[in-house]
Amino acid sequence: GGGGGWGDGGPVLWRRLGWRAKKAGGRRVAEERSVEIVPGEVDASIGPDGGGKTTLAGNLGGCAGKAGQRVLLVEADPQGSALAWSSARTVEPVFNVVAMPTSTLHRDLPSIAADYDLVVIDGAPRVNELGRAAIMASDLVIVPVQPSPYDVWAAADTVQLIREAQVFKADLKCAFAISRKVANTVIARDVKTALADLEVPVLGTALTQRVIFAESAASGLTVIEAEPKGAAAAEVAALACEVIPALTNKKNNRRKAA
């Protein structure tokens, strides 16, 4: 972790999506880069039920898909929320979805991932073998955390699981993403401080609690498709600028080397 540069992938993503990289809801965004990620190919969203992990995984995947990336969303949660989201869709998908809620995910996924620019895993919510497999299959683990003490306490268990995985996979990166933030509240401002003791970087962009996230999901859409000029879409795009370009650069660099 630590501060660092992100290359020039972020602004490219913004331009290809047709957004300005300066504002989201009237404020500057995508400027605080609070974690330096070694380029990789697989991004996992791991967290408790109700923490926003499926929302985060689906919307990041949709953002990359709309930018022209070949994206696979892996449903690794037996609850099947990502599959239900996908089945509600009535228009052409922007990414593929496959169910793999298995403890051998870290061994089964690499051969499938080779056909994609980015793989996003919607991980199991509990600290168990499914969660461990999703973490071991990943290059970056994003832990969505709501601004509540319960989520902060639960995040500690997830971080412990990631620390255990890093013993075997030293280049595994992780970061917190603040989700369902309620604007202009003390607890929303204090959540980063509460997470500081866990010594995991917090991504600079938070996803605010907005009705459009639920409304778009009900139709199998991402917010970028449902309301492309809205504040939620701008926040998702800003968050994508922090994580997706670094992840997708790895395969591009390999192609150049070949």
Side-chain angles (χ1 to χ4, degrees):
W6 288 74
D8 55 5
V12 172
L13 180 60
W14 274 90
R15 287 198 293 272
R16 293 183 69 182
L17 289 171
W19 283 300
R20 297 177 62 190
K22 291 185 177 181
K23 293 184 178 181
R27 61 183 178 83
R28 295 184 68 83
V29 297
E31 293 185 337
E32 180 184 349
R33 281 121 184 199
S34 54
V35 56
E36 184 175 359
I37 300 170
V38 175
E41 299 172 26
V42 183
D43 169 11
S45 177
I46 306 287
D49 279 326
K53 66 182 182 60
T54 303
T55 297
L56 178 63
N59 278 283
L60 284 179
C63 193
K66 292 290 285 184
Q69 298 290 329
R70 295 172 300 172
V71 179
L72 176 67
L73 176 61
V74 176
E75 175 64 273
D77 184 353
Q79 182 174 301
S81 298
L83 281 178
W85 184 357
S86 177
S87 66
R89 191 177 182 89
T90 59
V91 296
E92 189 73 16
V94 292
F95 52 77
N96 293 332
V97 182
V98 61
M100 298 181 70
T102 170
S103 61
T104 60
L105 178 63
H106 55 301
R107 294 196 296 268
D108 301 337
L109 185 58
S111 61
I112 300 173
D115 294 328
Y116 293 90
D117 297 309
L118 178 70
V119 176
V120 183
I121 302 173
D122 182 17
R126 294 175 180 82
V127 179
N128 57 21
E129 290 305 313
L130 295 181
R132 289 185 178 91
I135 290 170
M136 287 299 295
S138 303
D139 296 297
L140 165 68
V141 178
I142 303 175
V143 183
V145 180
Q146 294 186 82
S148 81
Y150 305 107
D151 271 49
V152 173
W153 298 332
D157 293 333
T158 303
V159 169
Q160 179 58 36
L161 206 62
I162 295 168
R163 297 296 186 218
E164 292 172 5
Q166 287 173 328
V167 173
F168 304 97
K169 193 172 183 178
D171 59 350
L172 175 64
K173 302 298 179 181
C174 62
F176 289 122
I178 307 303
S179 68
R180 298 183 175 177
K181 173 184 174 183
V182 179
N184 302 318
T185 60
V186 173
I187 195 168
R189 293 192 296 270
D190 289 350
V191 65
K192 287 187 179 182
T193 302
L195 291 170
D197 289 341
L198 297 177
E199 298 182 341
V200 171
V202 180
L203 296 172
T205 305
L207 298 184
T208 306
Q209 176 76 11
R210 301 182 192 277
V211 174
I212 187 61
F213 282 108
E215 290 180 341
S216 60
S219 301
L221 302 174
T222 65
V223 294
I224 287 169
E225 299 170 284
E227 199 174 90
K229 295 183 179 180
E235 286 177 352
V236 168
L239 191 63
C241 284
E242 294 193 61
V243 295
I244 292 176
L247 288 172
T248 55
N249 278 344
K250 184 176 184 180
K251 183 168 285 187
N252 292 337
N253 290 341
R254 286 177 178 171
R255 287 172 180 163
K256 291 176 182 177

